[in-house]
Structure formats: structure tokens, C-alpha cells
mmCIF file with all atom_site columns, all heavy atoms in Angstrom:
data_model
loop_
_atom_site.group_PDB
_atom_site.id
_atom_site.type_symbol
_atom_site.label_atom_id
_atom_site.label_alt_id
_atom_site.label_comp_id
_atom_site.label_asym_id
_atom_site.label_entity_id
_atom_site.label_seq_id
_atom_site.pdbx_PDB_ins_code
_atom_site.Cartn_x
_atom_site.Cartn_y
_atom_site.Cartn_z
_atom_site.occupancy
_atom_site.B_iso_or_equiv
_atom_site.pdbx_formal_charge
_atom_site.auth_seq_id
_atom_site.auth_comp_id
_atom_site.auth_asym_id
_atom_site.auth_atom_id
_atom_site.pdbx_PDB_model_num
ATOM 1   N N   . ALA A 1 1  ? 4.697  -1.030 -7.899  1.00 98.00 ? 1  ALA A N   1
ATOM 2   C CA  . ALA A 1 1  ? 5.658  0.081  -8.005  1.00 98.00 ? 1  ALA A CA  1
ATOM 3   C C   . ALA A 1 1  ? 6.691  -0.058 -6.874  1.00 98.00 ? 1  ALA A C   1
ATOM 4   O O   . ALA A 1 1  ? 7.896  0.086  -7.085  1.00 98.00 ? 1  ALA A O   1
ATOM 5   C CB  . ALA A 1 1  ? 4.943  1.413  -7.962  1.00 98.00 ? 1  ALA A CB  1
ATOM 6   N N   . ARG A 1 2  ? 6.219  -0.314 -5.700  1.00 98.00 ? 2  ARG A N   1
ATOM 7   C CA  . ARG A 1 2  ? 7.135  -0.490 -4.540  1.00 98.00 ? 2  ARG A CA  1
ATOM 8   C C   . ARG A 1 2  ? 8.099  -1.654 -4.760  1.00 98.00 ? 2  ARG A C   1
ATOM 9   O O   . ARG A 1 2  ? 9.309  -1.538 -4.482  1.00 98.00 ? 2  ARG A O   1
ATOM 10  C CB  . ARG A 1 2  ? 6.340  -0.664 -3.292  1.00 98.00 ? 2  ARG A CB  1
ATOM 11  C CG  . ARG A 1 2  ? 7.121  -0.593 -1.990  1.00 98.00 ? 2  ARG A CG  1
ATOM 12  C CD  . ARG A 1 2  ? 6.221  -0.735 -0.734  1.00 98.00 ? 2  ARG A CD  1
ATOM 13  N NE  . ARG A 1 2  ? 5.212  0.307  -0.732  1.00 98.00 ? 2  ARG A NE  1
ATOM 14  C CZ  . ARG A 1 2  ? 3.901  0.065  -0.876  1.00 98.00 ? 2  ARG A CZ  1
ATOM 15  N NH1 . ARG A 1 2  ? 3.425  -1.158 -1.132  1.00 98.00 ? 2  ARG A NH1 1
ATOM 16  N NH2 . ARG A 1 2  ? 3.045  1.065  -0.827  1.00 98.00 ? 2  ARG A NH2 1
ATOM 17  N N   . GLU A 1 3  ? 7.501  -2.750 -5.240  1.00 98.00 ? 3  GLU A N   1
ATOM 18  C CA  . GLU A 1 3  ? 8.367  -3.956 -5.444  1.00 98.00 ? 3  GLU A CA  1
ATOM 19  C C   . GLU A 1 3  ? 9.437  -3.704 -6.509  1.00 98.00 ? 3  GLU A C   1
ATOM 20  O O   . GLU A 1 3  ? 10.615 -4.063 -6.320  1.00 98.00 ? 3  GLU A O   1
ATOM 21  C CB  . GLU A 1 3  ? 7.451  -5.109 -5.922  1.00 98.00 ? 3  GLU A CB  1
ATOM 22  C CG  . GLU A 1 3  ? 8.192  -6.367 -6.337  1.00 98.00 ? 3  GLU A CG  1
ATOM 23  C CD  . GLU A 1 3  ? 7.272  -7.371 -6.998  1.00 98.00 ? 3  GLU A CD  1
ATOM 24  O OE1 . GLU A 1 3  ? 6.013  -7.349 -6.749  1.00 98.00 ? 3  GLU A OE1 1
ATOM 25  O OE2 . GLU A 1 3  ? 7.769  -8.231 -7.794  1.00 98.00 ? 3  GLU A OE2 1
ATOM 26  N N   . HIS A 1 4  ? 9.042  -3.092 -7.641  1.00 98.00 ? 4  HIS A N   1
ATOM 27  C CA  . HIS A 1 4  ? 10.020 -2.942 -8.747  1.00 98.00 ? 4  HIS A CA  1
ATOM 28  C C   . HIS A 1 4  ? 11.064 -1.852 -8.415  1.00 98.00 ? 4  HIS A C   1
ATOM 29  O O   . HIS A 1 4  ? 12.191 -2.017 -8.779  1.00 98.00 ? 4  HIS A O   1
ATOM 30  C CB  . HIS A 1 4  ? 9.263  -2.604 -10.020 1.00 98.00 ? 4  HIS A CB  1
ATOM 31  C CG  . HIS A 1 4  ? 8.374  -3.760 -10.501 1.00 98.00 ? 4  HIS A CG  1
ATOM 32  N ND1 . HIS A 1 4  ? 8.837  -5.040 -10.611 1.00 98.00 ? 4  HIS A ND1 1
ATOM 33  C CD2 . HIS A 1 4  ? 7.089  -3.770 -10.884 1.00 98.00 ? 4  HIS A CD2 1
ATOM 34  C CE1 . HIS A 1 4  ? 7.844  -5.808 -11.044 1.00 98.00 ? 4  HIS A CE1 1
ATOM 35  N NE2 . HIS A 1 4  ? 6.792  -5.061 -11.242 1.00 98.00 ? 4  HIS A NE2 1
ATOM 36  N N   . VAL A 1 5  ? 10.650 -0.783 -7.764  1.00 98.00 ? 5  VAL A N   1
ATOM 37  C CA  . VAL A 1 5  ? 11.626 0.210  -7.401  1.00 98.00 ? 5  VAL A CA  1
ATOM 38  C C   . VAL A 1 5  ? 12.619 -0.336 -6.381  1.00 98.00 ? 5  VAL A C   1
ATOM 39  O O   . VAL A 1 5  ? 13.836 -0.109 -6.463  1.00 98.00 ? 5  VAL A O   1
ATOM 40  C CB  . VAL A 1 5  ? 10.911 1.483  -6.827  1.00 98.00 ? 5  VAL A CB  1
ATOM 41  C CG1 . VAL A 1 5  ? 11.906 2.384  -6.149  1.00 98.00 ? 5  VAL A CG1 1
ATOM 42  C CG2 . VAL A 1 5  ? 10.230 2.236  -7.973  1.00 98.00 ? 5  VAL A CG2 1
ATOM 43  N N   . ALA A 1 6  ? 12.133 -1.100 -5.402  1.00 97.00 ? 6  ALA A N   1
ATOM 44  C CA  . ALA A 1 6  ? 13.010 -1.701 -4.396  1.00 97.00 ? 6  ALA A CA  1
ATOM 45  C C   . ALA A 1 6  ? 14.062 -2.632 -5.081  1.00 97.00 ? 6  ALA A C   1
ATOM 46  O O   . ALA A 1 6  ? 15.171 -2.728 -4.601  1.00 97.00 ? 6  ALA A O   1
ATOM 47  C CB  . ALA A 1 6  ? 12.195 -2.459 -3.387  1.00 97.00 ? 6  ALA A CB  1
ATOM 48  N N   . ALA A 1 7  ? 13.593 -3.319 -6.147  1.00 98.00 ? 7  ALA A N   1
ATOM 49  C CA  . ALA A 1 7  ? 14.521 -4.242 -6.789  1.00 98.00 ? 7  ALA A CA  1
ATOM 50  C C   . ALA A 1 7  ? 15.687 -3.572 -7.507  1.00 98.00 ? 7  ALA A C   1
ATOM 51  O O   . ALA A 1 7  ? 16.701 -4.215 -7.807  1.00 98.00 ? 7  ALA A O   1
ATOM 52  C CB  . ALA A 1 7  ? 13.712 -5.101 -7.818  1.00 98.00 ? 7  ALA A CB  1
ATOM 53  N N   . LEU A 1 8  ? 15.563 -2.264 -7.753  1.00 97.00 ? 8  LEU A N   1
ATOM 54  C CA  . LEU A 1 8  ? 16.660 -1.534 -8.384  1.00 97.00 ? 8  LEU A CA  1
ATOM 55  C C   . LEU A 1 8  ? 17.872 -1.458 -7.477  1.00 97.00 ? 8  LEU A C   1
ATOM 56  O O   . LEU A 1 8  ? 19.004 -1.346 -7.927  1.00 97.00 ? 8  LEU A O   1
ATOM 57  C CB  . LEU A 1 8  ? 16.244 -0.124 -8.778  1.00 97.00 ? 8  LEU A CB  1
ATOM 58  C CG  . LEU A 1 8  ? 15.272 -0.011 -9.955  1.00 97.00 ? 8  LEU A CG  1
ATOM 59  C CD1 . LEU A 1 8  ? 14.920 1.457  -10.174 1.00 97.00 ? 8  LEU A CD1 1
ATOM 60  C CD2 . LEU A 1 8  ? 15.834 -0.590 -11.235 1.00 97.00 ? 8  LEU A CD2 1
ATOM 61  N N   . GLY A 1 9  ? 17.623 -1.426 -6.156  1.00 96.00 ? 9  GLY A N   1
ATOM 62  C CA  . GLY A 1 9  ? 18.716 -1.251 -5.199  1.00 96.00 ? 9  GLY A CA  1
ATOM 63  C C   . GLY A 1 9  ? 18.740 0.198  -4.690  1.00 96.00 ? 9  GLY A C   1
ATOM 64  O O   . GLY A 1 9  ? 17.761 0.946  -4.825  1.00 96.00 ? 9  GLY A O   1
ATOM 65  N N   . ARG A 1 10 ? 19.871 0.589  -4.116  1.00 96.00 ? 10 ARG A N   1
ATOM 66  C CA  . ARG A 1 10 ? 19.983 1.893  -3.449  1.00 96.00 ? 10 ARG A CA  1
ATOM 67  C C   . ARG A 1 10 ? 19.922 3.054  -4.470  1.00 96.00 ? 10 ARG A C   1
ATOM 68  O O   . ARG A 1 10 ? 20.650 2.984  -5.507  1.00 96.00 ? 10 ARG A O   1
ATOM 69  C CB  . ARG A 1 10 ? 21.250 1.972  -2.632  1.00 96.00 ? 10 ARG A CB  1
ATOM 70  C CG  . ARG A 1 10 ? 21.290 1.054  -1.424  1.00 96.00 ? 10 ARG A CG  1
ATOM 71  C CD  . ARG A 1 10 ? 22.522 1.250  -0.560  1.00 96.00 ? 10 ARG A CD  1
ATOM 72  N NE  . ARG A 1 10 ? 23.717 0.987  -1.344  1.00 96.00 ? 10 ARG A NE  1
ATOM 73  C CZ  . ARG A 1 10 ? 24.699 1.868  -1.534  1.00 96.00 ? 10 ARG A CZ  1
ATOM 74  N NH1 . ARG A 1 10 ? 24.633 3.059  -1.031  1.00 96.00 ? 10 ARG A NH1 1
ATOM 75  N NH2 . ARG A 1 10 ? 25.792 1.535  -2.212  1.00 96.00 ? 10 ARG A NH2 1
ATOM 76  N N   . CYS A 1 11 ? 19.119 4.026  -4.159  1.00 97.00 ? 11 CYS A N   1
ATOM 77  C CA  . CYS A 1 11 ? 18.973 5.226  -5.046  1.00 97.00 ? 11 CYS A CA  1
ATOM 78  C C   . CYS A 1 11 ? 19.388 6.487  -4.273  1.00 97.00 ? 11 CYS A C   1
ATOM 79  O O   . CYS A 1 11 ? 19.036 6.622  -3.119  1.00 97.00 ? 11 CYS A O   1
ATOM 80  C CB  . CYS A 1 11 ? 17.538 5.288  -5.577  1.00 97.00 ? 11 CYS A CB  1
ATOM 81  S SG  . CYS A 1 11 ? 17.026 3.941  -6.632  1.00 97.00 ? 11 CYS A SG  1
ATOM 82  N N   . GLY A 1 12 ? 20.025 7.361  -4.991  1.00 96.00 ? 12 GLY A N   1
ATOM 83  C CA  . GLY A 1 12 ? 20.481 8.606  -4.347  1.00 96.00 ? 12 GLY A CA  1
ATOM 84  C C   . GLY A 1 12 ? 21.658 9.189  -5.059  1.00 96.00 ? 12 GLY A C   1
ATOM 85  O O   . GLY A 1 12 ? 21.949 8.802  -6.178  1.00 96.00 ? 12 GLY A O   1
ATOM 86  N N   . LEU A 1 13 ? 22.372 10.085 -4.406  1.00 96.00 ? 13 LEU A N   1
ATOM 87  C CA  . LEU A 1 13 ? 23.442 10.805 -5.046  1.00 96.00 ? 13 LEU A CA  1
ATOM 88  C C   . LEU A 1 13 ? 24.846 10.310 -4.589  1.00 96.00 ? 13 LEU A C   1
ATOM 89  O O   . LEU A 1 13 ? 25.862 10.787 -5.099  1.00 96.00 ? 13 LEU A O   1
ATOM 90  C CB  . LEU A 1 13 ? 23.385 12.316 -4.738  1.00 96.00 ? 13 LEU A CB  1
ATOM 91  C CG  . LEU A 1 13 ? 22.101 12.966 -5.273  1.00 96.00 ? 13 LEU A CG  1
ATOM 92  C CD1 . LEU A 1 13 ? 22.079 14.451 -4.854  1.00 96.00 ? 13 LEU A CD1 1
ATOM 93  C CD2 . LEU A 1 13 ? 21.975 12.816 -6.765  1.00 96.00 ? 13 LEU A CD2 1
ATOM 94  N N   . ALA A 1 14 ? 24.828 9.370  -3.646  1.00 96.00 ? 14 ALA A N   1
ATOM 95  C CA  . ALA A 1 14 ? 26.159 8.855  -3.156  1.00 96.00 ? 14 ALA A CA  1
ATOM 96  C C   . ALA A 1 14 ? 26.791 7.919  -4.161  1.00 96.00 ? 14 ALA A C   1
ATOM 97  O O   . ALA A 1 14 ? 26.116 7.329  -5.003  1.00 96.00 ? 14 ALA A O   1
ATOM 98  C CB  . ALA A 1 14 ? 25.948 8.109  -1.815  1.00 96.00 ? 14 ALA A CB  1
ATOM 99  N N   . PRO A 1 15 ? 28.101 7.801  -4.119  1.00 95.00 ? 15 PRO A N   1
ATOM 100 C CA  . PRO A 1 15 ? 28.760 6.838  -5.072  1.00 95.00 ? 15 PRO A CA  1
ATOM 101 C C   . PRO A 1 15 ? 28.193 5.450  -4.932  1.00 95.00 ? 15 PRO A C   1
ATOM 102 O O   . PRO A 1 15 ? 27.932 4.943  -3.850  1.00 95.00 ? 15 PRO A O   1
ATOM 103 C CB  . PRO A 1 15 ? 30.195 6.843  -4.551  1.00 95.00 ? 15 PRO A CB  1
ATOM 104 C CG  . PRO A 1 15 ? 30.395 8.207  -3.925  1.00 95.00 ? 15 PRO A CG  1
ATOM 105 C CD  . PRO A 1 15 ? 29.085 8.498  -3.272  1.00 95.00 ? 15 PRO A CD  1
ATOM 106 N N   . GLY A 1 16 ? 27.936 4.818  -6.096  1.00 95.00 ? 16 GLY A N   1
ATOM 107 C CA  . GLY A 1 16 ? 27.364 3.508  -6.123  1.00 95.00 ? 16 GLY A CA  1
ATOM 108 C C   . GLY A 1 16 ? 25.835 3.458  -6.123  1.00 95.00 ? 16 GLY A C   1
ATOM 109 O O   . GLY A 1 16 ? 25.243 2.407  -6.275  1.00 95.00 ? 16 GLY A O   1
ATOM 110 N N   . GLU A 1 17 ? 25.205 4.618  -5.895  1.00 97.00 ? 17 GLU A N   1
ATOM 111 C CA  . GLU A 1 17 ? 23.730 4.710  -5.881  1.00 97.00 ? 17 GLU A CA  1
ATOM 112 C C   . GLU A 1 17 ? 23.197 5.092  -7.255  1.00 97.00 ? 17 GLU A C   1
ATOM 113 O O   . GLU A 1 17 ? 23.906 5.809  -8.052  1.00 97.00 ? 17 GLU A O   1
ATOM 114 C CB  . GLU A 1 17 ? 23.245 5.667  -4.841  1.00 97.00 ? 17 GLU A CB  1
ATOM 115 C CG  . GLU A 1 17 ? 23.548 5.221  -3.383  1.00 97.00 ? 17 GLU A CG  1
ATOM 116 C CD  . GLU A 1 17 ? 22.976 6.131  -2.341  1.00 97.00 ? 17 GLU A CD  1
ATOM 117 O OE1 . GLU A 1 17 ? 22.790 7.345  -2.676  1.00 97.00 ? 17 GLU A OE1 1
ATOM 118 O OE2 . GLU A 1 17 ? 22.733 5.725  -1.241  1.00 97.00 ? 17 GLU A OE2 1
ATOM 119 N N   . ILE A 1 18 ? 21.972 4.681  -7.563  1.00 98.00 ? 18 ILE A N   1
ATOM 120 C CA  . ILE A 1 18 ? 21.300 5.035  -8.769  1.00 98.00 ? 18 ILE A CA  1
ATOM 121 C C   . ILE A 1 18 ? 20.767 6.436  -8.620  1.00 98.00 ? 18 ILE A C   1
ATOM 122 O O   . ILE A 1 18 ? 19.945 6.739  -7.728  1.00 98.00 ? 18 ILE A O   1
ATOM 123 C CB  . ILE A 1 18 ? 20.143 4.087  -9.103  1.00 98.00 ? 18 ILE A CB  1
ATOM 124 C CG1 . ILE A 1 18 ? 20.716 2.714  -9.439  1.00 98.00 ? 18 ILE A CG1 1
ATOM 125 C CG2 . ILE A 1 18 ? 19.260 4.626  -10.198 1.00 98.00 ? 18 ILE A CG2 1
ATOM 126 C CD1 . ILE A 1 18 ? 19.664 1.608  -9.529  1.00 98.00 ? 18 ILE A CD1 1
ATOM 127 N N   . ASP A 1 19 ? 21.197 7.375  -9.479  1.00 98.00 ? 19 ASP A N   1
ATOM 128 C CA  . ASP A 1 19 ? 20.707 8.765  -9.369  1.00 98.00 ? 19 ASP A CA  1
ATOM 129 C C   . ASP A 1 19 ? 19.777 9.157  -10.535 1.00 98.00 ? 19 ASP A C   1
ATOM 130 O O   . ASP A 1 19 ? 19.243 10.232 -10.567 1.00 98.00 ? 19 ASP A O   1
ATOM 131 C CB  . ASP A 1 19 ? 21.896 9.747  -9.257  1.00 98.00 ? 19 ASP A CB  1
ATOM 132 C CG  . ASP A 1 19 ? 22.637 9.900  -10.572 1.00 98.00 ? 19 ASP A CG  1
ATOM 133 O OD1 . ASP A 1 19 ? 22.529 9.022  -11.465 1.00 98.00 ? 19 ASP A OD1 1
ATOM 134 O OD2 . ASP A 1 19 ? 23.354 10.918 -10.740 1.00 98.00 ? 19 ASP A OD2 1
ATOM 135 N N   . THR A 1 20 ? 19.622 8.234  -11.507 1.00 98.00 ? 20 THR A N   1
ATOM 136 C CA  . THR A 1 20 ? 18.784 8.498  -12.670 1.00 98.00 ? 20 THR A CA  1
ATOM 137 C C   . THR A 1 20 ? 18.035 7.233  -12.999 1.00 98.00 ? 20 THR A C   1
ATOM 138 O O   . THR A 1 20 ? 18.668 6.122  -13.073 1.00 98.00 ? 20 THR A O   1
ATOM 139 C CB  . THR A 1 20 ? 19.666 8.903  -13.893 1.00 98.00 ? 20 THR A CB  1
ATOM 140 O OG1 . THR A 1 20 ? 20.494 10.060 -13.492 1.00 98.00 ? 20 THR A OG1 1
ATOM 141 C CG2 . THR A 1 20 ? 18.773 9.342  -15.043 1.00 98.00 ? 20 THR A CG2 1
ATOM 142 N N   . VAL A 1 21 ? 16.746 7.373  -13.313 1.00 98.00 ? 21 VAL A N   1
ATOM 143 C CA  . VAL A 1 21 ? 15.904 6.204  -13.702 1.00 98.00 ? 21 VAL A CA  1
ATOM 144 C C   . VAL A 1 21 ? 15.230 6.475  -14.970 1.00 98.00 ? 21 VAL A C   1
ATOM 145 O O   . VAL A 1 21 ? 14.537 7.491  -15.138 1.00 98.00 ? 21 VAL A O   1
ATOM 146 C CB  . VAL A 1 21 ? 14.920 5.856  -12.573 1.00 98.00 ? 21 VAL A CB  1
ATOM 147 C CG1 . VAL A 1 21 ? 13.919 4.796  -13.042 1.00 98.00 ? 21 VAL A CG1 1
ATOM 148 C CG2 . VAL A 1 21 ? 15.660 5.359  -11.307 1.00 98.00 ? 21 VAL A CG2 1
ATOM 149 N N   . VAL A 1 22 ? 15.343 5.529  -15.917 1.00 98.00 ? 22 VAL A N   1
ATOM 150 C CA  . VAL A 1 22 ? 14.662 5.606  -17.212 1.00 98.00 ? 22 VAL A CA  1
ATOM 151 C C   . VAL A 1 22 ? 13.295 4.956  -17.096 1.00 98.00 ? 22 VAL A C   1
ATOM 152 O O   . VAL A 1 22 ? 13.212 3.803  -16.666 1.00 98.00 ? 22 VAL A O   1
ATOM 153 C CB  . VAL A 1 22 ? 15.481 4.948  -18.283 1.00 98.00 ? 22 VAL A CB  1
ATOM 154 C CG1 . VAL A 1 22 ? 14.732 4.905  -19.659 1.00 98.00 ? 22 VAL A CG1 1
ATOM 155 C CG2 . VAL A 1 22 ? 16.850 5.606  -18.441 1.00 98.00 ? 22 VAL A CG2 1
ATOM 156 N N   . LEU A 1 23 ? 12.234 5.640  -17.510 1.00 97.00 ? 23 LEU A N   1
ATOM 157 C CA  . LEU A 1 23 ? 10.923 5.075  -17.610 1.00 97.00 ? 23 LEU A CA  1
ATOM 158 C C   . LEU A 1 23 ? 10.747 4.518  -19.006 1.00 97.00 ? 23 LEU A C   1
ATOM 159 O O   . LEU A 1 23 ? 10.437 5.258  -19.955 1.00 97.00 ? 23 LEU A O   1
ATOM 160 C CB  . LEU A 1 23 ? 9.834  6.105  -17.279 1.00 97.00 ? 23 LEU A CB  1
ATOM 161 C CG  . LEU A 1 23 ? 10.011 6.798  -15.920 1.00 97.00 ? 23 LEU A CG  1
ATOM 162 C CD1 . LEU A 1 23 ? 8.868  7.764  -15.657 1.00 97.00 ? 23 LEU A CD1 1
ATOM 163 C CD2 . LEU A 1 23 ? 10.100 5.757  -14.792 1.00 97.00 ? 23 LEU A CD2 1
ATOM 164 N N   . GLY A 1 24 ? 10.893 3.221  -19.146 1.00 94.00 ? 24 GLY A N   1
ATOM 165 C CA  . GLY A 1 24 ? 10.964 2.562  -20.464 1.00 94.00 ? 24 GLY A CA  1
ATOM 166 C C   . GLY A 1 24 ? 9.638  2.005  -20.946 1.00 94.00 ? 24 GLY A C   1
ATOM 167 O O   . GLY A 1 24 ? 9.626  1.100  -21.761 1.00 94.00 ? 24 GLY A O   1
ATOM 168 N N   . CYS A 1 25 ? 8.574  2.470  -20.399 1.00 93.00 ? 25 CYS A N   1
ATOM 169 C CA  . CYS A 1 25 ? 7.186  2.115  -20.829 1.00 93.00 ? 25 CYS A CA  1
ATOM 170 C C   . CYS A 1 25 ? 6.342  3.385  -20.749 1.00 93.00 ? 25 CYS A C   1
ATOM 171 O O   . CYS A 1 25 ? 6.441  4.097  -19.733 1.00 93.00 ? 25 CYS A O   1
ATOM 172 C CB  . CYS A 1 25 ? 6.650  1.016  -19.947 1.00 93.00 ? 25 CYS A CB  1
ATOM 173 S SG  . CYS A 1 25 ? 4.890  0.600  -20.255 1.00 93.00 ? 25 CYS A SG  1
ATOM 174 N N   . THR A 1 26 ? 5.503  3.609  -21.739 1.00 91.00 ? 26 THR A N   1
ATOM 175 C CA  . THR A 1 26 ? 4.729  4.841  -21.765 1.00 91.00 ? 26 THR A CA  1
ATOM 176 C C   . THR A 1 26 ? 3.649  4.866  -20.659 1.00 91.00 ? 26 THR A C   1
ATOM 177 O O   . THR A 1 26 ? 3.129  5.914  -20.351 1.00 91.00 ? 26 THR A O   1
ATOM 178 C CB  . THR A 1 26 ? 4.073  5.084  -23.136 1.00 91.00 ? 26 THR A CB  1
ATOM 179 O OG1 . THR A 1 26 ? 3.306  3.952  -23.485 1.00 91.00 ? 26 THR A OG1 1
ATOM 180 C CG2 . THR A 1 26 ? 5.133  5.351  -24.144 1.00 91.00 ? 26 THR A CG2 1
ATOM 181 N N   . HIS A 1 27 ? 3.318  3.733  -20.053 1.00 92.00 ? 27 HIS A N   1
ATOM 182 C CA  . HIS A 1 27 ? 2.406  3.727  -18.964 1.00 92.00 ? 27 HIS A CA  1
ATOM 183 C C   . HIS A 1 27 ? 3.022  4.367  -17.713 1.00 92.00 ? 27 HIS A C   1
ATOM 184 O O   . HIS A 1 27 ? 2.294  4.987  -16.921 1.00 92.00 ? 27 HIS A O   1
ATOM 185 C CB  . HIS A 1 27 ? 1.996  2.301  -18.616 1.00 92.00 ? 27 HIS A CB  1
ATOM 186 C CG  . HIS A 1 27 ? 0.900  1.730  -19.520 1.00 92.00 ? 27 HIS A CG  1
ATOM 187 N ND1 . HIS A 1 27 ? 1.196  1.324  -20.814 1.00 92.00 ? 27 HIS A ND1 1
ATOM 188 C CD2 . HIS A 1 27 ? -0.369 1.450  -19.332 1.00 92.00 ? 27 HIS A CD2 1
ATOM 189 C CE1 . HIS A 1 27 ? 0.104  0.815  -21.353 1.00 92.00 ? 27 HIS A CE1 1
ATOM 190 N NE2 . HIS A 1 27 ? -0.876 0.908  -20.467 1.00 92.00 ? 27 HIS A NE2 1
#
């Protein structure tokens, strides 16, 4: 989980950051 989340890049509310994440597997 740590590896895959880190691979997304910067997350947050600032411009250029990911603010929404889709969980595309029911697990």
C-alpha cells in the first residue's frame, strides 16, 4: 500500500496535487 500510494505522486489540495483517488479493485 505504501509503495503504490507513493507511486501516485503528491496528494493534497494544492494545484497539481491529486485530491481524489479511485479504488478500482473491490479488495
Side-chain angles (χ1 to χ4, degrees):
R2 190 177 301 111
E3 173 189 338
H4 294 311
V5 166
L8 290 176
R10 293 185 300 122
C11 295
L13 300 178
E17 292 183 335
I18 292 170
D19 72 342
T20 306
V21 171
V22 176
L23 303 183
C25 171
T26 55
H27 281 73

